Amino acid sequence: MVKEIDFNGEWSNEYDDTAHKIIPAYHAIYELTQHLLRAKLNKEARILVAGAGTGKEIIDCSQNNPHWSFTGFDPAESMLSIARKKVAANSLESKISFVLGLIEDVAEKDFDAATAILVMQFLPDDGAKLNFLKAIADKLKPGAPIVLVDLEGEIGSDEYSVLNAAWKNQQQFIRAENDRVDEEFALREKEVHFIPQKRIELLFEEAGFIKIHKFFKAYLFGGYVAIKR
């Protein structure tokens, strides 16, 4: 039986080993994100990272862009504990800091950019998604970019059904764990709050972002870049 995802429990120790297997084009998401930021930012920049997790995103980006600094926040203490150890092992303490909590717990403002990768999808569309984007916008300088990647779609639609089936087929093919994959996909529809592209774009606009462009699509994963008005 597949358990619900607990980012503050066992999943924190499994994340680095399993995320790249479960998420199509996982490495491409982060590579493309870095180049989007590099094309828009000056040599020195301060980046806000939502859902810092185990630190992979921040550490890779920091090593490739040594003049940038990062503040990551995450409510899962277990995940951040792993991230802090990685940062220390790579001697990046002067460039990377973490906040245990939510966006509202981040005291800094005037960031040059923000990323929110596979985070907003866990928030219900009852005002929580909009408030999340508004809170990030409040932390950014005018003209600062945000890169967001989320699971997206409208459950029950033809597009969702086709792409979800292809993703499931891919998972069963590469992992040879058909029963586990079936359980994961059933659980995901309970845990992830899917919304379609048009709704994501509307939330961006309502939160104060403009120049919204889609840069990435892999089955049900969609990536967007936008600019704070």
Side-chain angles (χ1 to χ4, degrees), residues 1 19 22 26 39 58 80 100 102-103 122 127 145 147 154 159 171 186 190 201 205 211 213:
M1 177 67 68
I22 295 172
Y26 176 77
I58 295 181
L80 282 192
L100 177 61
L102 306 175
I103 179 66
F122 293 109
V147 176
E154 185 174 352
E159 179 184 27
Q171 288 294 291
K190 296 179 181 180
E201 292 172 341
E205 292 172 357
K211 298 182 179 179
H213 302 295

Side-chain angles (χ1 to χ4, degrees), residues 120-150:
M120 194 178 74
Q121 63 193 29
F122 293 109
L123 301 176
D125 191 21
D126 58 0
K129 290 182 188 290
L130 178 58
N131 289 337
F132 173 75
L133 289 176
K134 283 183 174 179
I136 290 181
D138 185 57
K139 301 292 183 183
L140 295 175
K141 295 177 180 178
I146 176 175
V147 176
L148 180 142
V149 181
D150 258 353

Side-chain angles (χ1 to χ4, degrees), residues 39-59:
K40 290 182 173 292
L41 299 177
N42 294 324
K43 188 175 182 180
E44 295 185 0
R46 294 170 55 243
I47 318 255
L48 175 65
V49 179
T54 60
K56 172 179 172 51
E57 172 189 1
I58 295 181
I59 290 172

